[in-house]
Amino acid sequence: MTEEEISRQITRYIKDKLTDSEVDELWIEFLKNPEMFEQFEVEYNIADLFINKGYSIENDNNTVREPVTKKYRGWIYAAAAAVLIAVGIQFFITSQTDSISKYAVAKIDSTELLGADVYRTDDEDVEEMDIELNKALALALNEESKTAILQFENLLDESPNHEQKVRIYLNLGILRYNNAEYEQSTKEFLKLLEINNLPDHVEEAAWWFLGNAQLNLQNLEGARDSVFNAYQLDGRFNEPALSLLNRIDQELEKENDSISENTM
């Protein structure tokens, strides 16, 4: 219904000219539009005031209206309870996922950034791409992350080789993470993990950082899968991955128990 139609139905309701089905429809609209319910309350109270002072409000049956709080109290309470339960479940789940995100890494250490191995000799030219990669890394280490991100993204357009691409995506994921751009950071780490023949230490780091980014996005299932992959590689992130896995599993169990209890 439009607001004009609801307003018209409110007037008809006050005059007791609505059928039972029309009344039900009107109350459904009130649940969708609380402001219109406030209008209804005002108009209904004014009508009651007129009745209490001896005035009458014309209706088809020339009968005295039942107060809304008496006639529809049960219906209102049931509808309100349904809404509150739904909102409550959503609030509880959101609160739970918000609380678990505090266990994610606050910031990825800059020592995790990778530069190119550049060695200059009389017989060997240094690849220009490696020089530019290290220039971007220098910007990142100098806390010019936004400029560094642009530089790394530009390098991706210049056909980097396998090793250079690995370093670029890892650095982009880390810089995005530290800028709290968790959605974009997730995309960078996923692109990194799509590259074949990743060194074990890079793959482990990518899964670990990806899991933390997903945790900040409150994606518990995704975070669990990623952190578990890091744990399985049994490297330097093995212990923190196991600890985080336990916390995620506890939260997932609480969430599932809560949903089960509220839907019984």
Side-chain angles (χ1 to χ4, degrees):
M1 289 187 198
T2 65
E3 288 191 7
E4 184 178 347
E5 289 171 332
I6 295 174
S7 183
R8 191 180 305 119
Q9 291 297 78
I10 288 173
T11 301
R12 294 186 63 223
Y13 177 87
I14 290 172
K15 293 183 177 181
D16 202 17
K17 293 184 178 181
L18 291 185
T19 65
D20 288 343
S21 62
E22 286 176 325
V23 170
D24 290 341
E25 288 176 10
L26 180 60
W27 281 98
I28 289 170
E29 292 299 325
F30 287 154
L31 286 175
K32 295 177 185 177
N33 193 337
E35 290 182 0
M36 295 305 295
F37 179 71
E38 290 177 8
Q39 176 187 327
F40 164 74
E41 283 188 307
V42 170
E43 293 189 23
Y44 198 93
N45 288 334
I46 290 174
D48 278 344
L49 181 62
F50 269 74
I51 290 173
N52 290 335
K53 286 189 175 292
Y55 297 99
S56 64
I57 293 180
E58 181 185 355
N59 59 57
D60 291 338
N61 303 316
N62 294 319
T63 57
V64 178
R65 292 172 315 161
E66 273 188 279
V68 65
T69 51
K70 179 179 178 182
K71 187 174 182 181
Y72 289 102
R73 181 178 294 159
W75 195 96
I76 295 169
Y77 286 172
V83 172
L84 287 174
I85 288 171
V87 172
I89 291 173
Q90 183 61 39
F91 176 78
F92 181 82
I93 292 173
T94 302
S95 298
Q96 291 294 94
T97 51
D98 283 343
S99 66
I100 189 65
S101 65
K102 71 183 178 184
Y103 295 112
V105 173
K107 200 163 189 177
I108 301 174
D109 197 283
S110 60
T111 57
E112 300 290 348
L113 295 165
L114 292 180
D117 297 325
V118 176
Y119 301 98
R120 185 181 295 277
T121 68
D122 293 337
D123 302 324
E124 184 177 54
D125 291 330
V126 176
E127 194 171 335
E128 184 66 25
M129 175 75 75
D130 288 337
I131 294 174
E132 293 303 316
L133 198 156
N134 283 348
K135 284 182 179 178
L137 177 61
L139 288 168
L141 294 174
N142 198 37
E143 298 185 356
E144 298 181 51
S145 64
K146 290 186 178 179
T147 307
I149 287 170
L150 288 175
Q151 295 280 61
F152 283 125
E153 288 178 333
N154 289 337
L155 291 177
L156 286 173
D157 296 330
E158 297 179 17
S159 303
N161 62 34
H162 178 275
E163 184 177 333
Q164 292 162 343
K165 191 181 293 184
V166 168
R167 294 168 187 260
I168 290 170
Y169 277 125
L170 177 65
N171 292 344
L172 280 171
I174 292 172
L175 291 173
R176 294 285 194 186
Y177 187 100
N178 288 344
N179 286 348
E181 300 169 15
Y182 302 118
E183 187 171 347
Q184 190 59 42
S185 175
T186 295
K187 293 178 181 178
E188 305 292 3
F189 289 129
L190 286 172
K191 289 175 184 175
L192 172 59
L193 287 162
E194 290 174 359
I195 300 174
N196 295 324
N197 303 316
L198 284 177
D200 287 346
H201 70 282
V202 173
E203 183 180 357
E204 182 194 13
W207 282 119
W208 171 243
F209 298 146
L210 173 62
N212 279 268
Q214 291 169 317
L215 198 59
N216 277 296
L217 291 171
Q218 300 169 16
N219 177 3
L220 294 188
E221 297 286 355
R224 194 200 185 283
D225 290 342
S226 299
V227 174
F228 181 72
N229 287 335
Y231 169 75
Q232 280 192 312
L233 288 167
D234 197 22
R236 63 193 178 99
F237 294 110
N238 182 267
E239 288 188 15
L242 178 59
S243 176
L244 187 54
L245 275 174
N246 289 331
R247 291 192 181 278
I248 293 174
D249 284 342
Q250 289 171 10
E251 292 302 319
L252 285 171
E253 186 176 352
K254 289 178 185 177
E255 182 178 308
N256 290 333
D257 289 346
S258 174
I259 292 173
S260 297
E261 289 175 4
N262 285 284
T263 54
M264 288 178 64

